[in-house]
DNA sequence: AGTAAGGCGGGCA
DNA sequence: GTGCCCGCCTTAC
């Protein structure tokens, strides 16, 4: 468990850390993977305060609507990174490609 | 200790 | 697409 974070935040970030390069997931899925399907905003908050951008790819988490969502360093930066990882984005929206969506395993 | 506000959202009308 | 309310965790008063 990462020092300086609550156990819940740690849980969230750990899930996000599992997302491989070239894949994306949604806040909803992360929340569900943490056992709290309705805590989507908490997921966002955990990312917003995440100071481990280098080891935790919160940029691979987007809105379930397909919108890119927000990012500490700005949406533009998020889009840029995702594109460089092979994710297609058009008009600030993720182009759904089933093979690029990462699914967490739920217990 | 209690309360209000905020944050990279979601669901429904 | 728009608008509004809901829900969940942290932090600030």
């Amino acid at each position: 468990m990462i020092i300086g974070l609550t156990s819940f935040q740690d849980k969230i970030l750990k899930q996000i850390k599992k997302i491989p390069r070239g894949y994306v997931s949604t806040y909803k899925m992360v929340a569900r993977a943490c056992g709290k399907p309705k805590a989507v905003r908490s997921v966002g908050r955990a990312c917003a305060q995440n100071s481990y951008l280098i080891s935790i790819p919160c940029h691979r988490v987007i809105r379930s609507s397909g919108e890119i969502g927000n990012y500490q360093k700005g949406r533009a930066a998020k889009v840029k990174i995702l594109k460089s990882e092979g994710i297609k984005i058009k008009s600030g929206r993720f182009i759904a490609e089933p093979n690029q969506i990462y699914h967490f395993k739920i217990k």
Side-chain angles (χ1 to χ4, degrees), chain A residues 68 74-87 89:
Chain A
I68 298 308
R75 279 179 283 278
K78 190 167 179 178
V79 172
K80 190 176 176 184
I81 301 174
L82 290 176
K83 278 188 176 177
S84 73
E85 296 190 341
I87 301 300
I89 294 173

